[in-house]
Short mmCIF file of all heavy atoms in Angstrom, two decimals:
data_model
loop_
_atom_site.label_atom_id
_atom_site.label_comp_id
_atom_site.label_asym_id
_atom_site.label_seq_id
_atom_site.Cartn_x
_atom_site.Cartn_y
_atom_site.Cartn_z
N MET O 1 0.84 -1.18 0.00
CA MET O 1 0.00 0.00 0.00
C MET O 1 0.89 1.24 0.00
O MET O 1 1.79 1.35 0.81
CB MET O 1 -0.90 -0.04 1.24
CG MET O 1 -1.89 1.06 1.31
SD MET O 1 -3.16 0.74 0.11
CE MET O 1 -4.39 1.86 0.63
N PRO O 2 0.60 2.21 -0.91
CA PRO O 2 1.39 3.42 -0.95
C PRO O 2 1.19 4.27 0.32
O PRO O 2 0.16 4.17 0.99
CB PRO O 2 0.85 4.17 -2.16
CG PRO O 2 -0.01 3.23 -2.89
CD PRO O 2 -0.40 2.14 -1.95
N SER O 3 2.16 5.11 0.58
CA SER O 3 2.06 6.00 1.74
C SER O 3 0.95 7.03 1.51
O SER O 3 0.52 7.27 0.37
CB SER O 3 3.38 6.72 1.98
OG SER O 3 3.61 7.65 0.93
N GLU O 4 0.51 7.68 2.59
CA GLU O 4 -0.53 8.70 2.48
C GLU O 4 -0.06 9.86 1.60
O GLU O 4 -0.84 10.43 0.85
CB GLU O 4 -0.93 9.21 3.86
CG GLU O 4 -2.09 10.17 3.83
CD GLU O 4 -3.33 9.66 3.11
OE1 GLU O 4 -3.70 8.49 3.28
OE2 GLU O 4 -3.95 10.45 2.36
N ARG O 5 1.22 10.18 1.67
CA ARG O 5 1.78 11.25 0.83
C ARG O 5 1.62 10.92 -0.65
O ARG O 5 1.21 11.76 -1.44
CB ARG O 5 3.26 11.46 1.17
CG ARG O 5 3.93 12.52 0.35
CD ARG O 5 5.41 12.67 0.78
NE ARG O 5 6.16 13.40 -0.21
CZ ARG O 5 6.71 12.88 -1.30
NH1 ARG O 5 6.63 11.59 -1.54
NH2 ARG O 5 7.36 13.63 -2.16
N VAL O 6 1.93 9.69 -1.01
CA VAL O 6 1.79 9.26 -2.40
C VAL O 6 0.33 9.25 -2.81
O VAL O 6 -0.02 9.71 -3.90
CB VAL O 6 2.44 7.87 -2.61
CG1 VAL O 6 2.09 7.30 -3.98
CG2 VAL O 6 3.95 7.96 -2.43
N LEU O 7 -0.54 8.76 -1.96
CA LEU O 7 -1.97 8.73 -2.27
C LEU O 7 -2.51 10.14 -2.46
O LEU O 7 -3.33 10.38 -3.37
CB LEU O 7 -2.75 8.00 -1.18
CG LEU O 7 -2.52 6.50 -1.10
CD1 LEU O 7 -3.22 5.91 0.12
CD2 LEU O 7 -2.98 5.81 -2.37
N ALA O 8 -2.07 11.08 -1.64
CA ALA O 8 -2.52 12.46 -1.76
C ALA O 8 -2.09 13.06 -3.09
O ALA O 8 -2.87 13.75 -3.76
CB ALA O 8 -2.00 13.29 -0.59
N ARG O 9 -0.86 12.81 -3.50
CA ARG O 9 -0.37 13.32 -4.78
C ARG O 9 -1.12 12.66 -5.93
O ARG O 9 -1.44 13.30 -6.92
CB ARG O 9 1.13 13.05 -4.93
CG ARG O 9 2.03 13.74 -3.93
CD ARG O 9 2.40 15.17 -4.26
NE ARG O 9 2.97 15.42 -5.54
CZ ARG O 9 4.27 15.47 -5.83
NH1 ARG O 9 5.16 15.24 -4.89
NH2 ARG O 9 4.67 15.75 -7.04
N ARG O 10 -1.39 11.37 -5.80
CA ARG O 10 -2.13 10.65 -6.84
C ARG O 10 -3.53 11.26 -7.00
O ARG O 10 -4.00 11.47 -8.13
CB ARG O 10 -2.24 9.17 -6.46
CG ARG O 10 -2.77 8.30 -7.56
CD ARG O 10 -3.08 6.91 -7.10
NE ARG O 10 -1.90 6.15 -6.71
CZ ARG O 10 -1.96 4.93 -6.17
NH1 ARG O 10 -3.12 4.34 -5.95
NH2 ARG O 10 -0.86 4.30 -5.85
N ARG O 11 -4.19 11.57 -5.88
CA ARG O 11 -5.52 12.19 -5.94
C ARG O 11 -5.44 13.59 -6.56
O ARG O 11 -6.31 13.98 -7.34
CB ARG O 11 -6.15 12.25 -4.56
CG ARG O 11 -6.63 10.88 -4.05
CD ARG O 11 -7.45 11.01 -2.78
NE ARG O 11 -6.64 11.41 -1.64
CZ ARG O 11 -6.03 10.59 -0.80
NH1 ARG O 11 -6.15 9.28 -0.96
NH2 ARG O 11 -5.32 11.05 0.21
N ALA O 12 -4.38 14.34 -6.23
CA ALA O 12 -4.22 15.69 -6.78
C ALA O 12 -4.02 15.64 -8.29
O ALA O 12 -4.60 16.44 -9.04
CB ALA O 12 -3.05 16.39 -6.10
N ILE O 13 -3.22 14.70 -8.75
CA ILE O 13 -3.00 14.54 -10.19
C ILE O 13 -4.30 14.12 -10.86
O ILE O 13 -4.65 14.64 -11.93
CB ILE O 13 -1.86 13.55 -10.46
CG1 ILE O 13 -0.52 14.16 -10.03
CG2 ILE O 13 -1.83 13.12 -11.94
CD1 ILE O 13 0.64 13.17 -9.97
N GLY O 14 -5.02 13.21 -10.25
CA GLY O 14 -6.31 12.79 -10.80
C GLY O 14 -7.28 13.95 -10.93
O GLY O 14 -8.00 14.08 -11.93
N ALA O 15 -7.30 14.81 -9.92
CA ALA O 15 -8.18 15.99 -9.95
C ALA O 15 -7.77 16.93 -11.08
O ALA O 15 -8.63 17.53 -11.74
CB ALA O 15 -8.15 16.71 -8.61
N GLN O 16 -6.49 17.06 -11.32
CA GLN O 16 -6.02 17.91 -12.41
C GLN O 16 -6.40 17.33 -13.77
O GLN O 16 -6.78 18.06 -14.69
CB GLN O 16 -4.51 18.13 -12.31
CG GLN O 16 -4.16 19.04 -11.18
CD GLN O 16 -2.70 19.34 -11.03
OE1 GLN O 16 -2.33 19.86 -10.02
NE2 GLN O 16 -1.86 19.06 -12.00
N ILE O 17 -6.32 16.02 -13.88
CA ILE O 17 -6.75 15.36 -15.12
C ILE O 17 -8.24 15.60 -15.34
O ILE O 17 -8.66 15.97 -16.44
CB ILE O 17 -6.43 13.86 -15.09
CG1 ILE O 17 -4.91 13.63 -15.12
CG2 ILE O 17 -7.11 13.13 -16.25
CD1 ILE O 17 -4.49 12.20 -14.84
N GLN O 18 -9.02 15.41 -14.30
CA GLN O 18 -10.47 15.60 -14.40
C GLN O 18 -10.81 17.05 -14.78
O GLN O 18 -11.66 17.29 -15.66
CB GLN O 18 -11.14 15.23 -13.08
CG GLN O 18 -12.65 15.29 -13.13
CD GLN O 18 -13.27 14.84 -11.83
OE1 GLN O 18 -12.68 15.00 -10.75
NE2 GLN O 18 -14.46 14.29 -11.91
N ALA O 19 -10.14 18.01 -14.17
CA ALA O 19 -10.40 19.42 -14.47
C ALA O 19 -10.02 19.75 -15.90
O ALA O 19 -10.75 20.46 -16.61
CB ALA O 19 -9.66 20.30 -13.48
N ALA O 20 -8.87 19.26 -16.36
CA ALA O 20 -8.43 19.52 -17.73
C ALA O 20 -9.39 18.89 -18.73
O ALA O 20 -9.72 19.49 -19.77
CB ALA O 20 -7.02 18.98 -17.94
N ARG O 21 -9.86 17.70 -18.41
CA ARG O 21 -10.82 17.02 -19.29
C ARG O 21 -12.12 17.83 -19.37
O ARG O 21 -12.68 18.04 -20.46
CB ARG O 21 -11.09 15.61 -18.77
CG ARG O 21 -12.12 14.84 -19.58
CD ARG O 21 -12.35 13.46 -19.05
NE ARG O 21 -12.76 13.39 -17.66
CZ ARG O 21 -13.97 13.73 -17.20
NH1 ARG O 21 -14.89 14.18 -18.03
NH2 ARG O 21 -14.25 13.60 -15.91
N ALA O 22 -12.58 18.33 -18.23
CA ALA O 22 -13.81 19.11 -18.19
C ALA O 22 -13.64 20.42 -18.97
O ALA O 22 -14.54 20.83 -19.72
CB ALA O 22 -14.23 19.39 -16.75
N ARG O 23 -12.49 21.09 -18.80
CA ARG O 23 -12.23 22.33 -19.54
C ARG O 23 -12.23 22.08 -21.05
O ARG O 23 -12.63 22.94 -21.83
CB ARG O 23 -10.89 22.94 -19.12
CG ARG O 23 -10.94 23.70 -17.82
CD ARG O 23 -9.68 24.52 -17.59
NE ARG O 23 -8.46 23.75 -17.61
CZ ARG O 23 -7.94 23.09 -16.58
NH1 ARG O 23 -8.56 23.10 -15.41
NH2 ARG O 23 -6.81 22.42 -16.70
N ALA O 24 -11.77 20.91 -21.44
CA ALA O 24 -11.74 20.56 -22.87
C ALA O 24 -13.11 20.12 -23.38
O ALA O 24 -13.29 19.88 -24.57
CB ALA O 24 -10.72 19.45 -23.11
N GLY O 25 -14.08 20.01 -22.46
CA GLY O 25 -15.42 19.61 -22.84
C GLY O 25 -15.54 18.15 -23.22
O GLY O 25 -16.39 17.78 -24.03
N LEU O 26 -14.68 17.32 -22.62
CA LEU O 26 -14.67 15.90 -22.94
C LEU O 26 -15.22 15.07 -21.79
O LEU O 26 -14.99 15.38 -20.62
CB LEU O 26 -13.24 15.44 -23.25
CG LEU O 26 -12.57 16.09 -24.46
CD1 LEU O 26 -11.10 15.71 -24.51
CD2 LEU O 26 -13.28 15.67 -25.74
N THR O 27 -15.90 14.01 -22.13
CA THR O 27 -16.34 13.04 -21.14
C THR O 27 -15.26 11.99 -20.96
O THR O 27 -14.33 11.88 -21.78
CB THR O 27 -17.63 12.34 -21.61
OG1 THR O 27 -17.34 11.61 -22.81
CG2 THR O 27 -18.76 13.34 -21.85
N GLN O 28 -15.41 11.19 -19.92
CA GLN O 28 -14.49 10.06 -19.74
C GLN O 28 -14.62 9.12 -20.93
O GLN O 28 -13.62 8.56 -21.39
CB GLN O 28 -14.78 9.33 -18.43
CG GLN O 28 -14.37 10.10 -17.21
CD GLN O 28 -14.69 9.37 -15.93
OE1 GLN O 28 -15.45 8.40 -15.90
NE2 GLN O 28 -14.09 9.83 -14.83
N GLU O 29 -15.81 8.97 -21.44
CA GLU O 29 -16.02 8.09 -22.59
C GLU O 29 -15.25 8.60 -23.81
O GLU O 29 -14.62 7.81 -24.53
CB GLU O 29 -17.50 7.97 -22.93
CG GLU O 29 -17.78 7.05 -24.10
CD GLU O 29 -19.25 6.92 -24.42
OE1 GLU O 29 -20.07 7.69 -23.92
OE2 GLU O 29 -19.56 6.02 -25.22
N ALA O 30 -15.27 9.91 -24.05
CA ALA O 30 -14.55 10.48 -25.19
C ALA O 30 -13.05 10.25 -25.05
O ALA O 30 -12.38 9.89 -26.02
CB ALA O 30 -14.86 11.97 -25.33
N VAL O 31 -12.53 10.45 -23.85
CA VAL O 31 -11.10 10.21 -23.61
C VAL O 31 -10.79 8.73 -23.80
O VAL O 31 -9.77 8.37 -24.38
CB VAL O 31 -10.67 10.72 -22.23
CG1 VAL O 31 -9.23 10.34 -21.92
CG2 VAL O 31 -10.85 12.23 -22.13
N SER O 32 -11.68 7.88 -23.33
CA SER O 32 -11.50 6.44 -23.50
C SER O 32 -11.40 6.06 -24.98
O SER O 32 -10.53 5.29 -25.37
CB SER O 32 -12.66 5.69 -22.84
OG SER O 32 -12.59 4.32 -23.11
N LEU O 33 -12.29 6.62 -25.78
CA LEU O 33 -12.27 6.32 -27.21
C LEU O 33 -11.01 6.83 -27.88
O LEU O 33 -10.47 6.19 -28.78
CB LEU O 33 -13.51 6.92 -27.89
CG LEU O 33 -14.83 6.27 -27.53
CD1 LEU O 33 -16.00 7.09 -28.07
CD2 LEU O 33 -14.88 4.85 -28.06
N ARG O 34 -10.50 7.98 -27.44
CA ARG O 34 -9.30 8.56 -28.04
C ARG O 34 -8.02 7.85 -27.61
O ARG O 34 -7.01 7.93 -28.30
CB ARG O 34 -9.19 10.04 -27.67
CG ARG O 34 -10.25 10.91 -28.29
CD ARG O 34 -10.09 12.34 -27.85
NE ARG O 34 -11.10 13.18 -28.48
CZ ARG O 34 -11.03 14.50 -28.52
NH1 ARG O 34 -10.02 15.13 -27.97
NH2 ARG O 34 -11.99 15.19 -29.09
N THR O 35 -8.06 7.19 -26.45
CA THR O 35 -6.85 6.60 -25.89
C THR O 35 -6.84 5.08 -25.91
O THR O 35 -5.80 4.47 -25.70
CB THR O 35 -6.66 7.03 -24.43
OG1 THR O 35 -7.79 6.59 -23.66
CG2 THR O 35 -6.49 8.53 -24.31
N ASP O 36 -8.01 4.47 -26.08
CA ASP O 36 -8.16 3.03 -25.96
C ASP O 36 -7.87 2.55 -24.53
O ASP O 36 -7.39 1.44 -24.32
CB ASP O 36 -7.29 2.28 -26.98
CG ASP O 36 -7.80 0.88 -27.25
OD1 ASP O 36 -9.03 0.66 -27.14
OD2 ASP O 36 -6.98 0.00 -27.55
N ILE O 37 -8.15 3.43 -23.56
CA ILE O 37 -8.06 3.09 -22.14
C ILE O 37 -9.50 2.93 -21.65
O ILE O 37 -10.36 3.77 -21.95
CB ILE O 37 -7.34 4.19 -21.33
CG1 ILE O 37 -5.91 4.37 -21.83
CG2 ILE O 37 -7.36 3.87 -19.84
CD1 ILE O 37 -5.20 5.58 -21.23
N ARG O 38 -9.76 1.88 -20.90
CA ARG O 38 -11.12 1.63 -20.41
C ARG O 38 -11.64 2.83 -19.60
O ARG O 38 -10.89 3.47 -18.87
CB ARG O 38 -11.17 0.39 -19.52
CG ARG O 38 -10.89 -0.90 -20.26
CD ARG O 38 -10.90 -2.15 -19.38
NE ARG O 38 -10.48 -1.93 -18.01
CZ ARG O 38 -11.28 -2.08 -16.94
NH1 ARG O 38 -12.53 -2.45 -17.08
NH2 ARG O 38 -10.82 -1.87 -15.72
N ILE O 39 -12.94 3.10 -19.72
CA ILE O 39 -13.56 4.19 -18.96
C ILE O 39 -13.34 3.98 -17.47
O ILE O 39 -13.04 4.93 -16.74
CB ILE O 39 -15.07 4.29 -19.27
CG1 ILE O 39 -15.30 4.66 -20.73
CG2 ILE O 39 -15.75 5.31 -18.36
CD1 ILE O 39 -16.74 4.56 -21.16
N ALA O 40 -13.48 2.77 -17.00
CA ALA O 40 -13.30 2.48 -15.58
C ALA O 40 -11.88 2.85 -15.13
O ALA O 40 -11.68 3.37 -14.03
CB ALA O 40 -13.59 1.02 -15.28
N THR O 41 -10.91 2.59 -15.97
CA THR O 41 -9.52 2.92 -15.64
C THR O 41 -9.34 4.43 -15.57
O THR O 41 -8.68 4.95 -14.65
CB THR O 41 -8.55 2.31 -16.67
OG1 THR O 41 -8.72 0.88 -16.67
CG2 THR O 41 -7.11 2.65 -16.35
N ILE O 42 -9.91 5.15 -16.52
CA ILE O 42 -9.82 6.61 -16.49
C ILE O 42 -10.46 7.14 -15.21
O ILE O 42 -9.90 8.02 -14.54
CB ILE O 42 -10.46 7.22 -17.75
CG1 ILE O 42 -9.60 6.86 -18.97
CG2 ILE O 42 -10.61 8.74 -17.62
CD1 ILE O 42 -10.21 7.19 -20.29
N SER O 43 -11.61 6.62 -14.86
CA SER O 43 -12.28 7.02 -13.62
C SER O 43 -11.40 6.75 -12.40
O SER O 43 -11.27 7.60 -11.51
CB SER O 43 -13.61 6.28 -13.49
OG SER O 43 -14.22 6.59 -12.26
N GLU O 44 -10.79 5.58 -12.36
CA GLU O 44 -9.93 5.22 -11.22
C GLU O 44 -8.69 6.11 -11.16
O GLU O 44 -8.24 6.47 -10.07
CB GLU O 44 -9.52 3.75 -11.32
CG GLU O 44 -10.68 2.81 -11.08
CD GLU O 44 -10.37 1.37 -11.40
OE1 GLU O 44 -9.33 1.09 -12.03
OE2 GLU O 44 -11.19 0.50 -11.05
N ILE O 45 -8.15 6.50 -12.29
CA ILE O 45 -7.00 7.42 -12.32
C ILE O 45 -7.44 8.79 -11.80
O ILE O 45 -6.76 9.41 -10.98
CB ILE O 45 -6.40 7.51 -13.73
CG1 ILE O 45 -5.71 6.20 -14.11
CG2 ILE O 45 -5.42 8.69 -13.83
CD1 ILE O 45 -5.32 6.10 -15.57
N GLU O 46 -8.60 9.26 -12.26
CA GLU O 46 -9.07 10.59 -11.85
C GLU O 46 -9.39 10.66 -10.36
O GLU O 46 -9.25 11.71 -9.75
CB GLU O 46 -10.30 10.98 -12.67
CG GLU O 46 -9.98 11.35 -14.10
CD GLU O 46 -11.18 11.87 -14.87
OE1 GLU O 46 -12.30 11.91 -14.31
OE2 GLU O 46 -10.99 12.24 -16.04
N THR O 47 -9.82 9.57 -9.77
CA THR O 47 -10.14 9.57 -8.34
C THR O 47 -8.94 9.23 -7.48
O THR O 47 -9.02 9.31 -6.26
CB THR O 47 -11.27 8.57 -8.03
OG1 THR O 47 -10.87 7.26 -8.43
CG2 THR O 47 -12.57 8.97 -8.73
N GLY O 48 -7.83 8.84 -8.11
CA GLY O 48 -6.64 8.48 -7.36
C GLY O 48 -6.64 7.05 -6.86
O GLY O 48 -5.74 6.63 -6.15
N TYR O 49 -7.65 6.30 -7.25
CA TYR O 49 -7.75 4.91 -6.81
C TYR O 49 -6.70 4.03 -7.48
O TYR O 49 -6.22 3.07 -6.92
CB TYR O 49 -9.16 4.37 -7.12
CG TYR O 49 -9.39 2.96 -6.69
CD1 TYR O 49 -9.59 2.65 -5.35
CD2 TYR O 49 -9.40 1.92 -7.61
CE1 TYR O 49 -9.80 1.34 -4.93
CE2 TYR O 49 -9.61 0.61 -7.21
CZ TYR O 49 -9.81 0.33 -5.88
OH TYR O 49 -10.00 -0.96 -5.48
N ARG O 50 -6.32 4.41 -8.71
CA ARG O 50 -5.34 3.63 -9.48
C ARG O 50 -4.16 4.52 -9.83
O ARG O 50 -4.33 5.68 -10.21
CB ARG O 50 -5.98 3.12 -10.77
CG ARG O 50 -5.01 2.38 -11.68
CD ARG O 50 -5.66 2.04 -13.01
NE ARG O 50 -6.74 1.09 -12.84
CZ ARG O 50 -6.63 -0.21 -13.17
NH1 ARG O 50 -5.53 -0.67 -13.69
NH2 ARG O 50 -7.65 -1.01 -13.00
N ALA O 51 -2.97 3.97 -9.72
CA ALA O 51 -1.77 4.68 -10.17
C ALA O 51 -1.70 4.58 -11.68
O ALA O 51 -1.83 3.50 -12.25
CB ALA O 51 -0.52 4.06 -9.54
N ALA O 52 -1.52 5.72 -12.33
CA ALA O 52 -1.46 5.74 -13.78
C ALA O 52 -0.05 5.43 -14.26
O ALA O 52 0.92 5.93 -13.71
CB ALA O 52 -1.89 7.10 -14.30
N ARG O 53 0.04 4.60 -15.29
CA ARG O 53 1.32 4.37 -15.93
C ARG O 53 1.69 5.60 -16.74
O ARG O 53 0.80 6.35 -17.20
CB ARG O 53 1.24 3.16 -16.87
CG ARG O 53 0.96 1.85 -16.17
CD ARG O 53 0.85 0.70 -17.15
NE ARG O 53 0.12 1.12 -18.37
CZ ARG O 53 0.38 0.67 -19.58
NH1 ARG O 53 1.30 -0.22 -19.79
NH2 ARG O 53 -0.30 1.10 -20.62
N LEU O 54 2.96 5.82 -16.94
CA LEU O 54 3.41 6.97 -17.72
C LEU O 54 2.81 6.95 -19.11
O LEU O 54 2.36 7.99 -19.63
CB LEU O 54 4.95 7.00 -17.78
CG LEU O 54 5.56 8.14 -18.58
CD1 LEU O 54 5.11 9.49 -18.03
CD2 LEU O 54 7.07 8.02 -18.57
N ASP O 55 2.78 5.79 -19.74
CA ASP O 55 2.20 5.69 -21.08
C ASP O 55 0.74 6.16 -21.09
O ASP O 55 0.32 6.85 -22.01
CB ASP O 55 2.27 4.25 -21.61
CG ASP O 55 3.68 3.79 -21.88
OD1 ASP O 55 4.63 4.59 -21.72
OD2 ASP O 55 3.85 2.61 -22.23
N SER O 56 -0.01 5.79 -20.07
CA SER O 56 -1.41 6.20 -19.97
C SER O 56 -1.52 7.71 -19.80
O SER O 56 -2.38 8.35 -20.41
CB SER O 56 -2.10 5.49 -18.81
OG SER O 56 -2.14 4.10 -19.03
N LEU O 57 -0.66 8.29 -18.97
CA LEU O 57 -0.69 9.73 -18.76
C LEU O 57 -0.38 10.47 -20.06
O LEU O 57 -1.01 11.49 -20.36
CB LEU O 57 0.30 10.13 -17.68
CG LEU O 57 -0.06 9.73 -16.26
CD1 LEU O 57 1.08 10.03 -15.31
CD2 LEU O 57 -1.35 10.42 -15.82
N ILE O 58 0.56 9.96 -20.84
CA ILE O 58 0.89 10.57 -22.12
C ILE O 58 -0.31 10.51 -23.06
O ILE O 58 -0.68 11.51 -23.70
CB ILE O 58 2.12 9.90 -22.76
CG1 ILE O 58 3.38 10.20 -21.93
CG2 ILE O 58 2.30 10.32 -24.21
CD1 ILE O 58 4.58 9.35 -22.28
N LEU O 59 -0.95 9.36 -23.14
CA LEU O 59 -2.13 9.21 -24.00
C LEU O 59 -3.26 10.13 -23.57
O LEU O 59 -3.92 10.76 -24.40
CB LEU O 59 -2.61 7.75 -24.00
CG LEU O 59 -1.71 6.75 -24.70
CD1 LEU O 59 -2.20 5.32 -24.42
CD2 LEU O 59 -1.66 7.01 -26.19
N ILE O 60 -3.49 10.22 -22.27
CA ILE O 60 -4.56 11.08 -21.75
C ILE O 60 -4.26 12.54 -22.05
O ILE O 60 -5.14 13.29 -22.49
CB ILE O 60 -4.77 10.82 -20.24
CG1 ILE O 60 -5.38 9.43 -20.03
CG2 ILE O 60 -5.67 11.90 -19.63
CD1 ILE O 60 -5.38 8.96 -18.58
N ALA O 61 -3.03 12.97 -21.81
CA ALA O 61 -2.66 14.37 -22.09
C ALA O 61 -2.87 14.68 -23.57
O ALA O 61 -3.43 15.74 -23.91
CB ALA O 61 -1.21 14.62 -21.68
N ASP O 62 -2.44 13.80 -24.44
CA ASP O 62 -2.61 14.01 -25.88
C ASP O 62 -4.10 14.06 -26.25
O ASP O 62 -4.51 14.90 -27.05
CB ASP O 62 -1.93 12.91 -26.68
CG ASP O 62 -0.41 13.00 -26.65
OD1 ASP O 62 0.12 14.03 -26.17
OD2 ASP O 62 0.24 12.03 -27.10
N ALA O 63 -4.90 13.19 -25.66
CA ALA O 63 -6.34 13.15 -25.97
C ALA O 63 -7.05 14.42 -25.52
O ALA O 63 -7.96 14.90 -26.20
CB ALA O 63 -6.98 11.93 -25.30
N ILE O 64 -6.61 14.97 -24.39
CA ILE O 64 -7.23 16.18 -23.86
C ILE O 64 -6.67 17.42 -24.55
O ILE O 64 -7.32 18.45 -24.62
CB ILE O 64 -7.02 16.25 -22.33
CG1 ILE O 64 -7.76 15.10 -21.65
CG2 ILE O 64 -7.49 17.58 -21.77
CD1 ILE O 64 -7.47 14.97 -20.17
N GLY O 65 -5.45 17.32 -25.06
CA GLY O 65 -4.83 18.44 -25.73
C GLY O 65 -4.07 19.36 -24.79
O GLY O 65 -4.05 20.58 -24.99
N VAL O 66 -3.44 18.77 -23.77
CA VAL O 66 -2.65 19.55 -22.82
C VAL O 66 -1.26 18.92 -22.70
O VAL O 66 -1.05 17.77 -23.07
CB VAL O 66 -3.31 19.62 -21.41
CG1 VAL O 66 -4.65 20.32 -21.49
CG2 VAL O 66 -3.47 18.23 -20.81
N ASP O 67 -0.34 19.70 -22.17
CA ASP O 67 1.00 19.17 -21.92
C ASP O 67 0.96 18.19 -20.75
O ASP O 67 0.23 18.43 -19.76
CB ASP O 67 1.97 20.29 -21.56
CG ASP O 67 2.32 21.15 -22.76
OD1 ASP O 67 2.27 20.65 -23.89
OD2 ASP O 67 2.64 22.34 -22.54
N LEU O 68 1.73 17.15 -20.84
CA LEU O 68 1.81 16.17 -19.77
C LEU O 68 2.19 16.84 -18.45
O LEU O 68 1.62 16.54 -17.40
CB LEU O 68 2.82 15.07 -20.12
CG LEU O 68 3.11 14.03 -19.05
CD1 LEU O 68 1.84 13.27 -18.68
CD2 LEU O 68 4.19 13.08 -19.52
N ALA O 69 3.13 17.76 -18.51
CA ALA O 69 3.57 18.45 -17.29
C ALA O 69 2.43 19.16 -16.58
O ALA O 69 2.39 19.22 -15.34
CB ALA O 69 4.68 19.45 -17.62
N ASP O 70 1.46 19.69 -17.34
CA ASP O 70 0.32 20.37 -16.72
C ASP O 70 -0.56 19.41 -15.93
O ASP O 70 -1.22 19.81 -14.97
CB ASP O 70 -0.51 21.08 -17.78
CG ASP O 70 0.23 22.24 -18.42
OD1 ASP O 70 1.15 22.79 -17.77
OD2 ASP O 70 -0.09 22.59 -19.57
N LEU O 71 -0.58 18.15 -16.33
CA LEU O 71 -1.42 17.17 -15.63
C LEU O 71 -0.78 16.69 -14.34
O LEU O 71 -1.49 16.33 -13.40
CB LEU O 71 -1.70 15.95 -16.53
CG LEU O 71 -2.56 16.18 -17.75
CD1 LEU O 71 -2.79 14.86 -18.46
CD2 LEU O 71 -3.88 16.84 -17.38
N VAL O 72 0.53 16.66 -14.29
CA VAL O 72 1.19 16.07 -13.12
C VAL O 72 1.80 17.11 -12.19
O VAL O 72 2.36 16.75 -11.16
CB VAL O 72 2.27 15.03 -13.54
CG1 VAL O 72 1.63 13.88 -14.29
CG2 VAL O 72 3.35 15.67 -14.37
N ARG O 73 1.69 18.36 -12.53
CA ARG O 73 2.22 19.43 -11.67
C ARG O 73 1.31 19.57 -10.46
O ARG O 73 0.13 19.82 -10.59
CB ARG O 73 2.28 20.73 -12.46
CG ARG O 73 2.97 21.85 -11.71
CD ARG O 73 3.14 23.08 -12.60
NE ARG O 73 4.09 22.81 -13.67
CZ ARG O 73 3.79 22.90 -14.97
NH1 ARG O 73 2.59 23.24 -15.35
NH2 ARG O 73 4.69 22.64 -15.88
N THR O 74 1.87 19.36 -9.27
CA THR O 74 1.08 19.50 -8.04
C THR O 74 1.75 20.46 -7.09
O THR O 74 2.88 20.76 -7.19
CB THR O 74 0.86 18.15 -7.35
OG1 THR O 74 2.12 17.60 -6.99
CG2 THR O 74 0.08 17.21 -8.21
#
């Protein structure tokens, strides 16, 4: 189990992903279709329940149209 510090950062990054997706006017389903990542996985990443792989973060950033650094900056 990750430390509370890691979980807090994971949740913060997930919230940034969710906010960027909302600003782009995209649903989780739209991001899923653009990335070939399951909707459930995107939801788990956004809530901090799942640790995102770097490859997934790159795909999500590209699908939303933002820089990867903007998604992970906390």
Side-chain angles (χ1 to χ4, degrees):
M1 184 73 166
S3 69
E4 185 53 42
R5 179 179 165 275
V6 170
L7 290 174
R9 297 276 307 266
R10 190 189 293 174
R11 287 189 291 269
I13 291 168
Q16 288 182 193
I17 293 170
Q18 184 177 29
R21 178 180 56 73
R23 281 192 303 275
L26 297 171
T27 63
Q28 288 179 345
E29 181 179 13
V31 174
S32 173
L33 290 171
R34 291 179 179 196
T35 60
D36 202 29
I37 299 171
R38 293 179 329 115
I39 296 171
T41 301
I42 292 170
S43 176
E44 291 170 348
I45 290 169
E46 287 185 357
T47 59
Y49 182 76
R50 176 187 294 255
R53 296 179 320 146
L54 179 58
D55 292 357
S56 296
L57 290 173
I58 292 167
L59 290 171
I60 291 169
D62 288 350
I64 295 172
V66 298
D67 288 332
L68 175 61
D70 293 335
L71 292 183
V72 298
R73 187 174 292 120
T74 61

